[in-house]
């Protein structure tokens, strides 16, 4: 969001915007196995979804300014795993795994505008908090009996920084209000830190208490030693890897000059 100021050497403003972003820089999120056992990659990014934002800015002069924004990501559900291979003895089997991100970000940026109303914005993405939920659902039939398994896992990542840039246009409605539209890119990825199973149901019955700590909790590390993952009352250790949260999309909103 950027104020389109004319005739003022300095101007404070506040803005509210809403946008929808698509996945950018698609990377491998998981694997898909069809009924024949063929494996293929699933590509995407966890940064797609609905993004509302609130921003405050100050123009130092007619062209340059600084903006501090706060945005939330209400991510879409992304397929990250699929297994259609029927195990021996089963008559049917299907597993679908989806992941969905929720996050809050601070965005300090520098802005530059032209007299024609076109502007650009470049800055950082500073995550303030959030999580990625993973939903794992299995349905199967064996020996004439059908069953389901449903699990939910809450993932958290290490602190990281990202990059944001935007190109847009602002149209002045009057001396105080400006509407804008912009194309924004967000470059961001997280390394996993911890994961915890928060729901585990078998045929609708809660079985979470039956799981050992090593089955419910995961700690992502740089090295897994030979003696790790032996104690069932300690979290499972796994090598950490990066998950993409990059996105691009269109934001629309309103600016009010203070």
């Amino acid at each position: 969001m950027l104020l389109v100021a004319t005739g003022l050497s300095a101007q404070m403003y506040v803005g509210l915007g809403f946008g929808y972003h698509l996945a950018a820089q698609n990377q491998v999120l998981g694997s898909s196995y069809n009924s024949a056992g063929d494996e293929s990659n699933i590509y995407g990014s966890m940064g797609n979804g609905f993004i509302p934002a609130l921003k405050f800015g100050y123009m130092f002069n007619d062209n340059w300014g600084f903006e501090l924004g706060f945005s939330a990501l209400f991510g879409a559900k992304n397929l990250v795993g699929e297994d259609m291979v029927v195990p021996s003895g089963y008559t049917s089997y299907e597993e679908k795994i989806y992941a969905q991100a929720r996050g809050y970000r601070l965005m300090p940026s520098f802005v530059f505008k032209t007299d024609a109303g076109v502007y650009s914005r470049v800055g950082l993405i500073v995550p303030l908090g959030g999580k990625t939920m993973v939903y794992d659902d299995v349905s199967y039939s064996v020996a004439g009996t059908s069953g389901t398994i449903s699990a939910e896992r809450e993932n958290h990542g290490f602190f990281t920084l990202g990059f944001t840039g935007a190109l847009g246009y602002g149209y002045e409605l009057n001396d105080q209000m400006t509407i804008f539209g912009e194309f924004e890119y967000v470059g961001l990825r997280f390394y996993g830190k911890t994961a915890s199973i928060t729901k585990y149901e078998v045929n609708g019955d809660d079985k979470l208490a039956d799981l050992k700590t090593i089955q419910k909790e995961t700690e992502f590390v740089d090295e897994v030693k030979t003696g790790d993952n032996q104690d069932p009352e300690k979290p499972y250790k796994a090598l950490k890897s990066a998950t993409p949260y990059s996105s691009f999309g269109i934001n629309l909103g309103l600016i009010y000059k203070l």
Side-chain angles (χ1 to χ4, degrees), residues 15 18 28 85 112 114 133 147 166 180 194 215 218 220 237 253:
F18 301 90
V28 177
V85 178
F112 174 79
T114 68
M133 294 299 300
F180 73 90
T194 60
Q215 297 172 303
T218 302
F220 296 101
K237 288 188 177 182

Side-chain angles (χ1 to χ4, degrees), residues 31-196:
S31 298
S32 174
Y33 296 87
N34 63 21
S35 58
D38 301 325
E39 181 182 8
S40 59
N41 286 327
I42 298 174
Y43 292 90
S45 171
M46 296 305 302
N48 59 323
F50 178 65
I51 302 179
L54 176 66
K55 300 187 179 184
F56 302 88
Y58 182 82
M59 296 299 296
F60 303 117
N61 53 45
D62 288 344
N63 300 113
W64 290 96
F66 178 79
E67 190 173 271
L68 184 63
F70 175 81
S71 71
L73 169 64
F74 296 91
K77 277 190 175 182
N78 294 286
L79 180 69
V80 297
E82 183 178 39
D83 190 355
M84 308 292 287
V85 178
V86 180
S88 177
Y90 286 65
T91 54
S92 68
Y93 183 90
E94 180 181 54
E95 179 178 17
K96 297 276 189 178
I97 306 174
Y98 291 89
Q100 186 174 34
R102 294 286 187 270
Y104 305 95
R105 295 92 70 94
L106 195 67
M107 300 177 297
S109 304
F110 286 102
V111 294
F112 174 79
K113 74 170 188 69
T114 68
D115 295 337
V118 178
Y119 67 87
S120 60
R121 171 169 51 83
V122 177
L124 296 175
I125 289 280
V126 184
L128 300 178
K131 62 184 178 182
T132 298
M133 294 299 300
V134 178
Y135 306 95
D136 190 344
D137 292 297
V138 176
S139 60
Y140 64 89
S141 60
V142 56
T145 302
S146 298
T148 60
I149 301 174
S150 180
E152 294 182 6
R153 187 174 75 241
E154 184 175 309
N155 291 35
H156 293 271
F158 286 95
F159 177 78
T160 188
L161 291 175
F163 163 85
T164 179
L167 180 66
Y169 175 77
Y171 178 78
E172 287 190 342
L173 298 175
N174 52 46
D175 290 341
Q176 287 188 298
M177 300 183 70
T178 299
I179 57 174
F180 73 90
E182 64 181 26
F183 178 85
E184 182 182 34
Y185 171 81
V186 172
L188 183 66
R189 66 177 183 172
F190 282 95
Y191 281 91
K193 184 178 182 180
T194 60
S196 300

